[in-house]
Amino acid sequence: MTGNITGISGPTVSVALKGLRLYERVYVGNAMLTGEVVKIESDRAVVQVYENTHGLAPDEPVRATGMPLAVSLGPGLLSGIFDGLQRPLQRLREETCPFIKSGKEIYALDRSRQWRFHPLKKKGDDISPGEIIGYVNEGRFHHFITCGNDISGTLSWIADGEINIEAAAGALTDGKEIPLYHEWPVRVPRPYRKKIAPSRPLVTGQRVIDFLFPFTKGGTAIMPGGFGTGKTILEQSVAKFADVDIVVYVGCGERGNEMAEMIEEFEMLKDPWTGSKLMDRTVLVINTSNMPVAAREASIYTAVTMAEYYRDMGFHVLLLADSISRWAEALREISSSLEEMPGEEGYPTYLSSRLSGFIERAGVVETYSGKTGSLSMVLSVSPPGGDFTEPVTQSCLRTTGAFLMLDTSLAHRRHFPAINWFQSYSLYAGELSAHYKDKVSPEWEDVQKECRDILRKEENLREVVEIVGIEGIQDQDRLLLHTAEMIRSTFLCQNAYTDDAFSTLEKTLSAVKKILDFHKEAGERLKQGTPLNDIL
Amino acid sequence: MPLRKINMRLSEHRYRTISSIAGPLLFVQGILNARIGEVVKVLTPDKRQIDGEVLQITGDTALIEVFAETRGLDIEKTTVVFTDSVRRAPLSPEIIGRVFDGSFVPIDGLPMYIAEKRVPITGLPINPTARARPEEFIETGISVIDGLNTLVKGQKLPVFSCSGLPSKEVVAAILRNSRVIKETAIPQGSETSAARGDFIVIFAALGLTFREYSYYMNTLKEMKSGFVAFVNMADEPAMERLLAPRFALTAAEYLAFDNGMDVLVIITDMTNYCDALREVSTAREELPGRRGYPGFMYSDLASLYERAGRIRGRKGSITMLPVLTMPEDDITHPIPDLTGYITEGQIVLSRALHQKGIFPPVDVLPSLSRLMQRGIGKGHTREDHRKVSNLLYKYYARGRDLRRLEAIVGKDGMTEKDRLMLDFADLFEREFVNQESVRRNINETLDMGIDLLKRFDFET
């Protein structure tokens, strides 16, 4: 089906073409720019174009595809670097130039690469929907090939040996082929058999998170913070050290130089849990701030769909998005070019439902193949002016389980990660404490409480000291201030650029215990009459 | 084939079908074939020719943004000429040393050169996988920048100023003193253009007063390295301010990535740019965002700032130093706020320091260079750089914190240690931050820092 452009305004294009479906993918103009139908009227449709519309003219053709915006899912995604539309950026660079031009169509997965397919089923076996029929080795992972969620039957044949992704891995007696890769519409969550409540910790290697605000596999967390509070560094630290199988990282509307740095680092660094290259377990989706706005809106869906794909193989997947505010702003830009009635601060009124729809794609699930996989999310938020009352932060708060507030005043003191220990919270702490008691130490909870107590008392004491001066308070209190200072500067602070960047749960616990033991001992000595200055 | 289906035009199209004029915007009806971003020429009734660009097309009506004063336009006689071309910058190595207005017309009295190539000014995003990581130190000669907020090649580091603060003197000091340190340090005193390498400054002035203009032009002319200037004065069309930085950056990309030069782009004042953006947006009756600035301002600013960088396998770099004035000294105002979210740090000037007579009045606490970690240490500056920088920052931050306490309990009510910290903060400002017009190389800066720490018996 082909129609014509009738109007253009920023990233949105009006099209005279009947029979289009909502969210169908279309090609716009002579340059074949990718777009998605976002609004349908009786005689026209409005298309949101994922590329720069500069140079586009009315009357240029628009071609329908009959398909929604989809991503390719199959072996070869790991260590890939894609843009918001899943175009492989490295191959794009090799085939064109260092700059991204509009309208270049390129397959996400390398079609020439051969994969050794290992069958796990044999001819004549009955296959149920979503069942695993075999695997290929993608790095150190068994990349499972499953039959579609909507087909079942008896295997008429199955491959065994080197095949490329366009070849079928097997077929059913009714003639349906089971391909090595398939397409999946990004805006449709991938199905699973059932959802399970999260109960296992996700260790981030960041002491302040693991100890005070523990995170769980299948959980969701947001990290809001003004500029310079270290959101990106913290996201990247979590991406490096989290004890998950696979990390999908979306650089959504952020800086190009930062991404260059990250790519280089991930090529060099090793995953502390397995010792293999970090990049081998990572998928990067990069849509920097100067890349087209509409593709930025799509990028988080592209990423979450790939993450769900690996979850469905029974892996623990962590999705990091930096930053979800840039996604929301893209949504706002598109909404305003559609002349929709705005809600709070110009954001469309469906901001909150879209966000919760996205965030709810996280969770622990039992997959159709009977495995347990999880998808966790850590999203950074960039509130304008560092003001947390704005709509994006507030909408996220309603659905996420952990709130890690990044504090500008801590950042100014170079206290990193600048997570404020009074305002932040984790709703997973209760569910996880049993696990910590069991697996790490029975003291975990008590130590945590003691640590919080000291920090809370310090806050009150500081107010007193502001008025009467440090000389005006008792020695016991001065000792407490000293201990709190130690907790803050040696325990809660963690330098992302040194070996200290990663800490195991055991190391975390012993580090804080050392400080608390000192505090107890010093307290005793004070009581016995040792002068405070001698103790310190 | 009917005429309407032809997508290529062989000549210019002229229309006298303006249906409405509002501020910098024109609606033209009955257009056969316009393109988004197409350049139009508007011929005014008093025989002027001004420039515009197609912003939006609905059916056969085009919305045109005019980059000049629209006073005197009418509906009957004004002619709009569609040129079937997007806006391009004429580029040639001969651009070096030239001064242009905001529309790329020479204003230095010399004739226009013959362009080697013409490049669309919107630029293309650099493929993130093609970027090289910025890590080469640029010595600005200013201790508080080199020592604590190090600038590296390919970085974008804005200067956040307040009205009445000497931002232009700070920029001039950077211009005069900047040079790129290669791994083999340049021997002292050999500050020739050769030592500066292929280093060039591109200066884009947006809404400059004449006084500022003459100050900057003097500075540029005194420099030994080359420069290119795009100047839009305060009384010149506000809409030109949307073009000038794009011309400047297109020229920068040409000199950096085609000709292998290290380009430093200075854009001042971004506040004027954002105000021009707001003007167009409100004329289009778009929904205003915070403080009336358009919702797309983040993406728009990013389309400028993100053009800084380096490319793997190519010589040359674009480093950007945008200058902006924070309205009401408010760092949470949308202009500094959105800028800070895009750029790799910020240099914040402080009114309090300026009033103390300190130059450059850089407030160390809110200032930040995100790319510093990669550009300092062995092989870049000096092995002890990171340590000295962290210690200076730590003690100064402590001292600044204690000043609040001092205000309540008085200096006498404080411990000996705290009083020492206060003295350190004062001395740090007076000696380390304050350097007037003296240039300090990185060794001098670091040695001075160490000396300061030693005087207070702080660990070094």
Side-chain angles (χ1 to χ4, degrees):
Chain A
M1 273 198 313
T2 309
N4 290 323
I5 298 176
T6 58
I8 308 157
S9 169
T12 57
V13 168
S14 302
V15 177
L17 177 57
K18 283 188 184 171
L20 285 172
R21 290 188 199 167
L22 206 56
Y23 290 105
E24 176 172 345
R25 183 179 188 155
V26 293
Y27 291 113
V28 177
N30 296 325
M32 299 273 280
L33 309 177
T34 300
E36 195 178 8
V37 179
V38 289
K39 191 167 160 185
I40 295 179
E41 287 166 13
S42 62
D43 55 344
R44 65 158 201 162
V46 179
V47 171
Q48 141 188 349
V49 180
Y50 287 117
E51 292 171 80
N52 196 336
T53 51
H54 230 78
L56 214 58
D59 283 344
E60 285 192 22
V62 177
R63 291 176 196 85
T65 63
M67 285 279 295
L69 184 72
V71 289
S72 303
L73 301 172
L77 291 176
L78 288 183
S79 66
I81 304 172
F82 304 98
D83 76 354
L85 298 178
Q86 213 201 13
R87 285 187 298 189
L89 287 169
Q90 276 159 314
R91 265 189 291 135
L92 195 67
R93 183 192 85 217
E94 284 154 18
E95 288 177 23
T96 56
C97 69
F99 295 92
I100 300 176
K101 290 181 176 152
S102 296
K104 172 82 182 169
E105 189 77 4
I106 181 167
Y107 290 118
L109 297 171
D110 189 349
R111 307 207 157 205
S112 57
R113 186 163 165 190
Q114 295 288 316
W115 297 89
R116 172 77 176 82
F117 179 77
H118 304 269
L120 293 170
K121 296 279 173 188
K122 56 184 189 304
K123 184 180 167 184
D125 281 355
D126 284 334
I127 306 291
S128 57
E131 200 173 344
I132 292 168
I133 61 157
Y135 67 89
V136 301
N137 285 321
E138 186 176 13
R140 63 191 167 85
F141 298 101
H142 280 330
H143 184 121
F144 293 109
I145 307 299
T146 56
C147 115
N149 295 314
D150 47 355
I151 55 172
S152 59
T154 309
L155 272 180
S156 65
W157 65 271
I158 187 159
D160 186 353
E162 302 269 322
I163 51 177
N164 73 4
I165 60 159
E166 279 181 306
L172 302 176
T173 44
D174 61 2
K176 283 203 186 91
E177 289 195 333
I178 301 170
L180 211 53
Y181 95 103
H182 62 277
E183 305 257 319
W184 188 270
V186 294
R187 295 184 196 278
V188 181
R190 288 174 62 85
Y192 44 81
R193 202 175 279 162
K194 67 174 187 220
K195 226 168 193 171
I196 307 166
S199 62
R200 287 179 55 193
L202 191 157
V203 181
T204 62
Q206 309 302 301
R207 288 186 291 259
V208 54
I209 301 179
D210 292 340
F211 188 66
L212 291 180
F213 310 108
F215 191 46
T216 171
K217 294 204 171 81
T220 53
I222 58 165
M223 302 197 291
F227 65 80
T229 51
K231 286 184 298 297
T232 303
I233 301 280
L234 186 54
E235 285 261 333
Q236 293 185 359
S237 295
V238 174
K240 282 177 206 164
F241 304 124
D243 72 328
V244 291
D245 300 311
I246 284 159
V247 171
V248 180
Y249 188 101
V250 206
C252 177
E254 290 284 319
R255 307 175 178 93
N257 280 336
E258 253 167 26
M259 297 319 300
E261 202 171 307
M262 184 172 172
I263 294 168
E264 206 173 305
E265 239 178 353
F266 274 48
E267 285 290 350
M268 266 160 30
L269 291 178
K270 298 234 180 318
D271 168 8
W273 303 93
T274 60
S276 60
K277 228 169 44 170
L278 264 182
M279 204 61 200
D280 292 346
R281 69 161 196 183
T282 310
V283 182
L284 290 178
V285 177
I286 304 181
N287 216 90
T288 55
S289 54
N290 56 338
M291 284 157 77
V293 163
R296 192 198 301 166
E297 194 274 328
S299 65
I300 64 164
Y301 293 104
T302 298
V304 76
T305 309
M306 292 194 279
E308 283 176 339
Y309 175 63
Y310 281 101
R311 172 205 69 187
D312 288 349
M313 293 175 213
F315 292 122
H316 296 293
V317 187
L318 172 63
L319 174 87
L320 296 134
D322 184 24
S323 109
I324 208 74
S325 296
R326 305 297 164 227
W327 167 82
E329 282 163 11
L331 196 70
R332 175 169 68 185
E333 254 177 70
I334 294 157
S335 161
S336 107
S337 66
L338 292 174
E339 295 175 3
E340 290 172 340
M341 186 74 97
E344 219 179 325
E345 295 207 9
Y347 289 105
T349 45
Y350 47 78
L351 169 72
S352 164
S353 60
R354 288 272 173 94
L355 255 179
S356 45
F358 170 74
I359 292 170
E360 271 302 288
R361 287 174 80 164
V364 185
V365 302
E366 188 187 309
T367 68
Y368 272 108
S369 55
K371 289 179 179 285
T372 305
S374 73
L375 169 52
S376 322
M377 287 186 190
V378 177
L379 315 171
S380 73
V381 181
S382 323
D387 170 15
F388 297 125
T389 62
E390 56 93 35
V392 181
T393 314
Q394 290 305 316
S395 302
C396 285
L397 277 180
R398 297 219 291 267
T399 28
T400 48
F403 170 62
L404 304 170
M405 183 193 132
L406 300 181
D407 190 330
T408 309
S409 67
L410 285 178
H412 280 184
R413 271 187 260 155
R414 297 287 200 264
H415 176 114
F416 289 114
I419 296 175
N420 181 306
W421 47 89
F422 292 116
Q423 309 280 328
S424 307
Y425 61 79
S426 165
L427 301 177
Y428 305 115
E431 291 150 30
L432 292 176
S433 60
H435 181 96
Y436 286 123
K437 259 188 191 157
D438 251 27
K439 296 277 156 63
V440 191
S441 160
E443 304 166 289
W444 186 273
E445 253 181 309
D446 297 336
V447 177
Q448 198 200 54
K449 193 170 163 292
E450 208 178 319
C451 177
R452 278 182 198 276
D453 268 357
I454 290 178
L455 291 170
R456 192 172 36 80
K457 283 184 191 151
E458 185 211 13
E459 178 84 350
N460 297 337
L461 271 177
R462 288 244 170 250
E463 282 169 26
V464 178
V465 172
E466 292 258 303
I467 300 162
V468 301
I470 189 88
E471 306 288 0
I473 62 169
Q474 292 185 335
D475 279 358
Q476 285 288 355
D477 289 341
R478 285 180 65 183
L479 172 64
L480 187 125
L481 284 183
H482 178 80
T483 310
E485 166 67 29
M486 270 166 77
I487 293 178
R488 285 192 282 118
S489 63
T490 64
F491 179 70
L492 297 178
C493 273
Q494 208 169 336
N495 190 334
Y497 297 102
T498 59
D499 290 340
D500 190 38
F502 170 70
S503 174
T504 60
L505 292 181
E506 287 75 17
K507 262 166 67 187
T508 296
L509 187 69
S510 86
V512 69
K513 263 181 69 183
K514 219 184 268 170
I515 300 173
L516 296 177
D517 286 348
F518 159 83
H519 183 68
K520 255 178 243 157
E521 198 194 301
E524 289 301 319
R525 286 174 64 193
L526 259 187
K527 273 185 202 155
Q528 286 160 9
T530 319
L532 181 67
N533 284 340
D534 290 358
I535 298 173
L536 307 182
Chain B
M1 193 187 258
L3 183 67
R4 275 183 65 88
K5 290 293 169 210
I6 298 174
N7 280 319
M8 226 179 64
R9 294 197 310 259
L10 297 174
S11 63
E12 296 181 339
H13 278 203
R14 286 166 173 267
Y15 296 93
R16 253 191 205 180
T17 48
I18 295 176
S19 63
S20 74
I21 307 172
L25 302 180
L26 309 179
F27 283 92
V28 189
Q29 288 179 327
I31 309 298
L32 273 188
N33 232 325
R35 282 171 195 286
I36 292 290
E38 180 171 349
V39 175
V40 299
K41 290 183 198 132
V42 180
L43 309 176
T44 68
D46 52 0
K47 306 282 184 265
R48 280 188 303 144
Q49 176 184 316
I50 54 185
D51 258 8
E53 197 172 300
V54 177
L55 218 49
Q56 184 181 327
I57 306 168
T58 318
D60 62 356
T61 304
L63 172 62
I64 296 188
E65 173 184 7
V66 178
F67 295 108
E69 188 62 63
T70 45
R71 193 184 308 128
L73 294 197
D74 72 345
I75 285 181
E76 275 153 32
K77 292 199 192 106
T78 304
T79 308
V80 180
V81 184
F82 285 71
T83 61
D84 197 29
S85 147
V86 295
R87 188 168 303 276
R88 285 164 190 270
L91 299 172
S92 150
E94 287 176 56
I95 195 172
I96 296 169
R98 301 297 304 271
V99 184
F100 305 90
D101 72 1
S103 299
F104 221 131
V105 176
I107 50 169
D108 49 9
L110 298 169
M112 189 67 187
Y113 51 81
I114 295 165
E116 180 189 280
K117 62 197 251 188
R118 291 173 177 275
V119 179
I121 66 163
T122 45
L124 292 169
I126 302 177
N127 185 326
T129 62
R131 278 183 187 269
R133 196 169 78 176
E135 55 188 7
E136 283 172 85
F137 171 57
I138 296 179
E139 191 181 80
T140 63
I142 295 175
S143 293
V144 63
I145 297 179
D146 292 347
L148 278 84
N149 296 289
T150 317
L151 178 68
V152 294
K153 265 200 222 171
Q155 184 174 14
K156 39 196 180 295
L157 190 65
V159 177
F160 288 5
S161 181
C162 309
S163 52
L165 294 193
S167 61
K168 67 175 188 298
E169 285 80 3
V170 173
V171 169
I174 295 173
L175 282 179
R176 267 197 295 270
N177 298 330
S178 285
R179 65 179 180 208
V180 180
I181 295 288
K182 297 277 157 53
E183 276 181 30
T184 50
I186 297 162
Q188 239 172 326
S190 69
E191 202 181 325
T192 61
S193 56
R196 279 164 171 265
D198 286 330
F199 182 69
I200 189 161
V201 174
I202 295 192
F203 178 67
L206 315 172
L208 226 57
T209 61
F210 185 78
R211 214 173 54 80
E212 290 169 319
Y213 169 73
S214 41
Y215 181 87
Y216 276 121
M217 287 317 288
N218 282 338
T219 310
L220 286 174
K221 280 172 186 150
E222 278 167 22
M223 284 177 50
K224 292 182 187 93
S225 74
F227 70 88
V228 184
F230 296 88
V231 182
N232 164 277
M233 304 291 286
D235 55 356
E236 285 175 338
M239 292 305 113
E240 250 182 30
R241 288 163 207 168
L242 301 177
L243 290 181
R246 294 190 162 80
F247 281 129
L249 286 163
T250 309
E253 280 168 359
Y254 169 75
L255 293 176
F257 303 132
D258 287 6
N259 293 285
M261 304 179 98
D262 287 316
V263 185
L264 178 65
V265 181
I266 305 218
I267 308 180
T268 178
D269 181 322
M270 283 306 290
T271 306
N272 292 333
Y273 174 87
C274 294
D275 284 352
L277 204 64
R278 176 166 68 177
E279 209 177 315
V280 183
S281 167
T282 42
R284 285 182 74 177
E285 295 177 5
E286 285 171 337
L287 284 165
R290 279 204 305 153
R291 302 249 183 154
Y293 292 96
F296 57 82
M297 194 157 89
Y298 177 83
S299 304
D300 189 275
L301 286 175
S303 75
L304 297 180
Y305 295 146
E306 277 291 326
R307 290 171 81 169
R310 292 168 64 221
I311 290 181
R312 278 196 218 184
R314 291 203 191 182
K315 259 183 84 188
S317 63
I318 299 178
T319 309
M320 215 189 287
L321 275 181
V323 181
L324 60 86
T325 307
M326 298 184 281
E328 298 160 40
D329 301 6
D330 178 10
I331 200 167
T332 67
H333 184 282
I335 298 172
D337 192 47
L338 295 179
T339 298
Y341 272 125
I342 304 164
T343 54
E344 285 124 1
Q346 62 276 337
I347 302 289
V348 182
L349 303 189
S350 142
R351 200 177 287 282
L353 287 179
H354 179 57
Q355 279 161 356
K356 283 188 194 170
I358 286 165
F359 180 85
V362 175
D363 188 352
V364 173
L365 298 192
S367 297
L368 171 73
S369 165
R370 289 167 192 271
L371 301 179
M372 171 177 180
Q373 297 297 336
R374 307 288 169 202
I376 61 172
K378 211 175 168 185
H380 298 284
T381 54
R382 228 167 69 175
E383 205 163 358
D384 57 353
H385 190 157
R386 189 163 293 129
K387 199 172 153 202
V388 173
S389 154
N390 288 343
L391 286 172
L392 288 172
Y393 186 94
K394 183 172 128 193
Y395 291 122
Y396 178 63
R398 278 296 316 236
R400 280 277 297 267
D401 231 19
L402 288 167
R403 277 189 194 160
R404 281 188 304 146
L405 185 60
E406 188 195 6
I408 302 166
V409 300
K411 206 165 182 177
D412 297 337
M414 298 169 77
T415 61
E416 175 67 30
K417 205 175 139 205
D418 286 354
R419 283 203 297 269
L420 214 59
M421 221 51 107
L422 280 176
D423 292 343
F424 176 80
D426 286 338
L427 220 57
F428 175 80
E429 286 173 0
R430 281 210 310 274
E431 294 188 2
F432 188 85
V433 179
N434 187 26
Q435 66 182 82
E436 283 157 17
S437 59
V438 182
R439 182 183 200 285
R440 292 191 201 137
N441 68 30
I442 184 66
N443 279 325
E444 288 164 344
T445 291
L446 293 177
D447 288 345
M448 181 168 218
I450 292 172
D451 178 58
L452 201 59
L453 290 165
K454 275 193 181 146
R455 264 196 274 167
F456 282 82
D457 279 333
F458 292 149
E459 45 170 329
T460 48

